[in-house]
Amino acid sequence: QKEVEQNSGPLSVPEGAIASLNCTYSDRGSQSFFWYRQYSGKSPELIMSIYSNGDKEDGRFTAQLNKASQYVSLLIRDSQPSDSATYLCAVNMGSNYQLIWGAGTKLIIKP
Amino acid sequence: DGGITQSPKYLFRKEGQNVTLSCEQNLNHDAMYWYRQDPGQGLRLIYYSQIVNDFQKGDIAEGYSVSREKKESFPLTVTSAQKNPTAFYLCASTKDRTDTQYFGPGTRLTVL
């Protein structure tokens, strides 16, 4: 069974602090990893994609991938109230076009 | 501007009706997807299509049907066989299987 797991939260973080979101996946052969942000009532939008082990930084966001431990994380530095949303982790686990989605972590940034 | 459009934004269905949700993309993407999202839940795959005139069932295809006659278009029909269709429906597309999926704005379907 191919699975992606996330803590559903809510995760509450003070404004200006670092928010850390985690995701584990079941297939060691997974190739592509994505973090999406979804505001209530809206469609998901891509935050970060990562394909190789290590860190990838884009502004206040850093994605971290550890294939040996089968987890991927997203760090948000200097958290802002506008970062309050649900964050979805998605993984491409095989040779087809399907992504396996986690259920999402709800993040709340408190002013 | 390139992107994915979905229509309508809101749709109301009476019991026993079939309804069709539209999805169009001008990104020249080969693959297109339909997802269903229930409140507080993640995305569940209904159908996907890698090329024109070909599509595969996802995890929850029962009660739904699709067609892919043109590269740009991937309409979803919610049939009367789908007993609990009230949900948020999302269409997505991607250029390559390892590439990012881009989403349309979604259609919110409510059964009256």
Side-chain angles (χ1 to χ4, degrees), chain A residues 31-32 34 36 38 40-46 49 51 88 92 94-99 101-104, chain B residues 31 33 35 37 40-43 45 48 50 88 90 94-105 108:
Chain A
Q31 302 176 9
S32 316
F34 305 89
Y36 286 81
Q38 187 177 26
S40 181
K42 303 295 184 181
S43 60
E45 55 180 337
L46 180 73
S49 60
Y51 299 92
L88 300 169
N92 181 288
S95 59
N96 61 30
Y97 278 67
Q98 289 191 57
L99 288 181
W101 293 82
Chain B
Y33 306 78
Y35 292 98
Q37 188 175 37
Q41 305 295 314
L43 306 183
L45 182 65
Y48 70 103
Q50 296 176 210
F88 188 40
L90 290 158
T94 187
K95 178 180 178 182
D96 181 83
R97 64 177 181 84
T98 62
D99 206 352
T100 302
Q101 287 188 16
Y102 296 93
F103 286 85
R108 195 165 298 277

Side-chain angles (χ1 to χ4, degrees), chain B residues 32-64:
Chain B
M32 298 186 72
Y33 306 78
W34 275 106
Y35 292 98
R36 169 179 172 146
Q37 188 175 37
D38 294 285
Q41 305 295 314
L43 306 183
R44 292 189 289 169
L45 182 65
I46 304 172
Y47 270 98
Y48 70 103
S49 169
Q50 296 176 210
I51 57 172
V52 174
N53 293 323
D54 187 46
F55 46 83
Q56 287 78 40
K57 293 182 179 180
D59 299 323
I60 57 165
E62 185 175 351
Y64 301 96

Side-chain angles (χ1 to χ4, degrees), chain A residues 54-106:
Chain A
D55 295 358
K56 179 181 178 182
E57 186 174 321
D58 184 1
R60 296 186 297 111
F61 299 94
T62 299
Q64 299 176 319
L65 175 61
N66 185 323
K67 290 187 176 182
S69 300
Q70 295 176 233
Y71 81 80
V72 56
S73 62
L74 180 70
L75 301 179
I76 306 174
R77 291 182 298 280
D78 188 23
S79 296
Q80 304 296 309
S82 60
D83 294 326
S84 297
T86 295
Y87 289 80
L88 300 169
C89 175
V91 180
N92 181 288
M93 292 189 182
S95 59
N96 61 30
Y97 278 67
Q98 289 191 57
L99 288 181
I100 309 300
W101 293 82
T105 298
K106 185 173 183 178

Side-chain angles (χ1 to χ4, degrees), chain B residues 10-74:
Chain B
Y10 298 97
L11 184 58
F12 299 92
R13 192 193 91 167
K14 294 181 180 179
E15 295 283 349
Q17 272 187 338
N18 292 351
V19 292
T20 298
L21 285 59
S22 170
C23 177
E24 303 275 336
Q25 55 97 0
N26 61 2
L27 300 168
N28 198 33
H29 286 172
D30 288 319
M32 298 186 72
Y33 306 78
W34 275 106
Y35 292 98
R36 169 179 172 146
Q37 188 175 37
D38 294 285
Q41 305 295 314
L43 306 183
R44 292 189 289 169
L45 182 65
I46 304 172
Y47 270 98
Y48 70 103
S49 169
Q50 296 176 210
I51 57 172
V52 174
N53 293 323
D54 187 46
F55 46 83
Q56 287 78 40
K57 293 182 179 180
D59 299 323
I60 57 165
E62 185 175 351
Y64 301 96
S65 65
V66 293
S67 63
R68 187 84 186 278
E69 298 176 1
K70 299 186 300 181
K71 186 175 184 177
E72 302 79 15
S73 179
F74 191 40

